[in-house]
Amino acid sequence: MRWFITILASNVQTKTGMRRISLLIPLFLLIFFSSLAQKPSGAVKGKITDSTATEPLTSAVVSVIFTKDSSIATYTLTDTKGAFEINNLVNDNYKISISLLGFETYEQFIKISGDTQLVDMGNIILNKNFHMLDTFVVNSEVPIQIIGDTTQFNASAFKTVPNANAEDLLKKLPGVEVDIDGNVKAQGESVTKIYIDGKEFFGNDPKMATKNITADMIQSVQVYDDMSDQAKFTRIDDGSRTKTINIVLKKNRRKGYFGRAIVGAGNDGLYQSALAANRFYDTRRISLVAGSNNINKQNFTTNDIISKMGGFSASKQINNASLPAGNGLTTSTSAGINYLDKVGKKIEITGSYNFFETQNRKEQIRYREATFFNDSSSTENSSSINVTSNRNHQFNVKIEYYIDSMNSILYTPNVSLQHSQNYSEDSATSMAITPSKTYLANSNSSNYKSQRDGLNIGNDILYRRKFKKTGRTFTLGFSNSISNSKGSGTNISPINFYYPNGTISAVIDQNFESTQKTKSNSNIITTSFTEMFGKKIVMELNYAYTNKHSNSDKDAFDYNKVTKLFDIVNRQQTNYFDNEFIAHRYGGNFRFIMPKYSFQAGTSVQSSSIDNKSIRGIYQINGKDSVIATKQRYTNLFPTANFTYTFSKKTNLRISYRGRTNQPSVSQLQDVPDLTNLVRIRIGNAALKQEFGHTVNISFKTLNPITFKYLNVAINATQTSNKIVNATDSLTLTTLKNLGLPDSLLRPGV
């Protein structure tokens, strides 16, 4: 009210306006005192009892619903004595709805008014419903149901504006949060899976469902902790949980054509558009989505664009491509089609095609300081403009063939075509600071252009068999991925070095173009066998074989001022790098399952080999390029342990330990300097050794289902041996090394 009066008053500047204010004051006073009269003060209470056992019913959902529009006002759960009390109700007409799994829904209308501020419903008896006992039934009349570990919300009880999408509906649900980028949290945990009627929608990207399914299509939203795919298959609860949302569509929206379109425009050329069209018919579903905007909004996960994106200057491209919406100015365009069908009774097919394109422009001003030689330091002022565009075509298919009730085959091929372009301008000046003088040390400017095309092909096939004995299963899987890319670029980076007196001491005029081809081929075979002893002990044996080969071939040529062509071999940047990784992994673990707690412990042994071969034109032996080869052999243990104690359905304690080895990537191993900017040179290190890390996680989670207040306390500790870190020997050069090991000397010519 205060802001309303102030705003009106600020617009009054004449005598006529003053007379209007004098007329409005009584109206404001009337509204003010009316608002006092509407201060929430009403309450309703009662007790719920079983009709047959005449015992109190715990955790029954008591919903208070406005009769005028059927929207939910609030709700609560009955306590251990079956009692409930809801306060702070405004004067209005309500419907009280009481529901509990296995019982018929009870409804009663009440009125909160000046004469009736407390409604005591007394002892309410619920009758058994033997048709729905222990069965999950979507009851559209009940606003909120809590069935086991699942909380179900009736969508019609949470009003949204016309043309709202699923994301808008989720924002209104108690205990559900949606951030500015569209990421969803439920009951304090991140939601990584969102299903539509129990099925994936456009693969495993939750945003494709929340942003393209309209709110008026939704009958209910189910929030629960989903078991892992392995646990579902083996029928053994492994304790692994993922917060999941399942969107249940209305029956009349499971058949027919429906969709929506949105167009918006603003000043400075800003715009937003979106289209969603669906054709659903029983098990067959076809969905089309498209959208474009220049307001830093993405309707998909960023990783869909940059996944497996190699690069001319890989670190530079990935860093810019992976920036979230809001870092720079981003124009985003996307389109996709999704197909889901069931062929007969044994085959389920899901396929999708997605097109993503982003263009990002970012301008930065930076300031850095560095100290060296104890008594000297330097400062750097720099500015940059970077324009990055990425285009991606993705084809994904998932085919599940149920041979019979005991055997199935899952095949998931995928193809990705990618194109990226990068343009950047940088300028910088560095000042040297000594005890006696401060002077300009160097100045530089750079102009960098690159483009890259990539093809990624993946094939995953998994055979699964479960036996009649519960817990006895066998799986055999094969995974293959092929990645090829080709890029080209130009780099113009002149740099001037100065004497303390201000005269130029040296000039490096860097002007070259280059092409780079990268290839990667990976094959992985996995198998596992599980056996259950009694009802409390589960044993698993597993094996995995990995064979990965990758290489990078780069040719660079300097500009020839005589021929005006790029025909002088730049041996500094010309190189060939080859990497091969082979590993055998044998493992086993045991799991003990008790009513209140479970414990799992196991380990695996991996023997691996890493072979690197680097051919650098800058190293000449008898007029030929030298070959530098390194070989590394490792035997590692991968211990794991997990302990879970369940105090109640909403409160648990989890402690986990994991040991893990990380191999250095090809870009980290490749000992070729990135000369995009001569004052910030980065170079890999072929002598890097693998990391080994120990990680301990402790988490305590509790949720109050009445208020949806949650507490999540987490303690994480990690210790890494031979950790790969940046090693900077000056303001200019940055390489990599293993922390705790002697530094590997950079080779001459770097």
Side-chain angles (χ1 to χ4, degrees), residues 149 237 239 241 591 594-598 643-654 700-701:
D149 293 331
D237 187 355
R241 290 288 188 273
R591 182 172 183 83
M594 302 297 288
K596 279 286 187 180
Y597 67 89
S598 63
F643 174 79
T644 301
Y645 189 89
T646 304
F647 298 92
S648 66
K649 293 180 179 180
K650 299 298 181 182
T651 304
N652 64 68
L653 172 69
R654 293 180 181 176
F700 174 80
K701 298 178 182 178

Side-chain angles (χ1 to χ4, degrees), residues 356-370:
F356 307 119
E357 183 177 47
T358 61
Q359 294 180 339
N360 178 271
R361 179 183 175 89
K362 183 179 65 173
E363 299 183 14
Q364 283 186 318
I365 298 176
R366 297 181 294 269
Y367 175 79
R368 296 201 310 165
E369 294 183 5

Side-chain angles (χ1 to χ4, degrees), residues 229-237 466 470-473 530:
D229 292 337
Q230 181 68 5
K232 294 177 184 177
F233 169 66
T234 62
R235 294 168 291 176
I236 302 172
D237 187 355
K466 54 187 175 184
T470 301
R472 181 181 295 175
T473 66
T530 64

Side-chain angles (χ1 to χ4, degrees), residues 385-500:
I385 299 174
N386 188 276
V387 180
T388 303
S389 64
N390 291 282
R391 187 181 304 123
N392 191 322
H393 300 268
Q394 287 187 346
F395 303 86
N396 298 283
V397 178
K398 179 180 178 181
I399 303 174
E400 191 155 10
Y401 174 42
Y402 299 94
I403 302 172
D404 52 40
S405 61
M406 297 295 182
N407 299 273
S408 67
I409 296 176
L410 178 64
Y411 177 49
T412 53
N414 60 83
V415 178
S416 176
L417 298 171
Q418 301 167 324
H419 174 77
S420 69
Q421 290 182 323
N422 186 59
Y423 171 78
S424 65
E425 293 181 2
D426 292 88
S427 62
T429 58
S430 297
M431 304 296 295
I433 304 173
T434 65
S436 60
K437 188 175 184 179
T438 299
Y439 62 93
L440 177 64
N442 61 67
S443 63
N444 78 290
S445 62
S446 64
N447 186 297
Y448 177 79
K449 298 179 182 178
S450 71
Q451 64 176 12
R452 177 163 291 274
D453 293 285
L455 169 65
N456 302 295
I457 301 174
N459 289 280
D460 294 282
I461 186 167
L462 179 66
Y463 167 72
R464 299 185 294 189
R465 174 175 174 80
K466 54 187 175 184
F467 299 83
K468 291 183 179 180
K469 180 182 178 181
T470 301
R472 181 181 295 175
T473 66
F474 172 76
T475 61
L476 177 64
F478 172 73
S479 177
N480 166 259
S481 62
I482 299 172
S483 178
N484 295 328
S485 67
K486 182 178 181 180
S488 61
T490 59
N491 189 343
I492 303 174
S493 304
I495 182 171
N496 298 326
F497 296 90
Y498 299 89
Y499 289 115

